[in-house]
Amino acid sequence: PAFTRISGYTTEEAIGNTPRIVSSGIHPKEFYETLWSTITSGETWLGEMQNRSKDGSIFWESVSIAPIFDDSGAIVNFVGLKEKIAERKALEASLRASKKVADKANQAKSEFLSSMSHELRTPLNAILGFGQMLELNPKEPLTKNQKSCVDHIKKGGHHLLELINEILD
């Protein structure tokens, strides 16, 4: 009943046919070669595949196919257990798309922080550098008042640099 509901084929149309009636043609030849090689060697094949219903629509299934053995150990048939996984596949696609958006946003954030780091630190380093140059000019020593002003510039600059580092970190 589940096969007929999912595939759209009636019981009469399905009986006597191979699973090829729902083959989508999407999977490469090697996909099916691996599947058949696995089950004809006596192993169980597990995987996901896209199949086509009678009306032509494509659907995803999680599939487990196992061989059935007779008393002598020869393979006499195969049994397949299938689960329609369209919702899971849609969720996976949504998660991949969300991850792509998040990765893009993360990249934009990284570029922004890198740019801000450069744009904020460059002029601040110039201010601090000029403050040190004023302080260390032996030809023109600073007056007490000028030294106090340069100390305020340097102190404020170092404080601002610490704030920028904390924000960007």
Side-chain angles (χ1 to χ4, degrees):
F3 175 81
T4 59
R5 186 177 60 252
I6 292 169
S7 71
Y9 288 98
T10 65
T11 304
E12 293 75 26
E13 291 171 315
I15 292 175
N17 267 311
T18 68
R20 284 189 196 102
I21 65 170
V22 292
S23 178
S24 64
I26 292 172
H27 301 286
K29 180 181 170 186
E30 297 79 22
F31 176 86
Y32 293 105
E33 286 173 353
T34 301
L35 183 154
W36 281 103
S37 172
T38 301
I39 62 177
T40 56
S41 70
E43 301 293 319
T44 298
W45 183 86
L46 301 169
E48 295 177 349
M49 63 174 57
Q50 289 181 285
N51 282 324
R52 185 179 310 274
S53 63
K54 185 177 178 180
D55 69 7
S57 61
I58 301 293
F59 59 94
W60 276 100
E61 290 184 305
S62 177
V63 181
S64 173
I65 303 173
I68 298 175
F69 302 94
D70 65 12
D71 292 339
S72 68
I75 297 173
V76 293
N77 218 329
F78 301 96
V79 64
L81 300 173
K82 300 179 174 191
E83 176 186 8
K84 192 172 178 184
I85 56 171
E87 289 177 16
R88 186 178 88 198
K89 285 299 194 179
L91 181 59
E92 287 174 2
S94 174
L95 287 173
R96 277 192 300 277
S98 295
K99 183 183 182 313
K100 192 174 185 178
V101 168
D103 288 345
K104 193 172 183 177
N106 190 44
Q107 178 65 29
K109 176 199 68 155
S110 295
E111 289 171 8
F112 171 77
L113 290 175
S114 176
S115 175
M116 284 298 94
S117 173
H118 176 74
E119 295 298 323
L120 294 172
R121 287 184 177 128
T122 299
L124 188 54
N125 284 330
I127 292 168
L128 291 171
F130 281 120
Q132 290 172 343
M133 286 175 55
L134 288 171
E135 190 176 54
L136 299 175
N137 188 351
K139 293 181 183 177
E140 296 180 29
L142 297 176
T143 65
K144 188 174 184 180
N145 190 33
Q146 289 172 328
K147 175 141 178 46
S148 174
C149 289
V150 169
D151 285 344
H152 282 294
I153 291 170
K154 287 174 44 185
K155 182 179 177 185
H158 284 294
H159 180 68
L160 189 54
L161 189 57
E162 285 178 26
L163 286 174
I164 291 169
N165 287 337
E166 287 178 16
I167 290 169
L168 294 178
D169 285 347

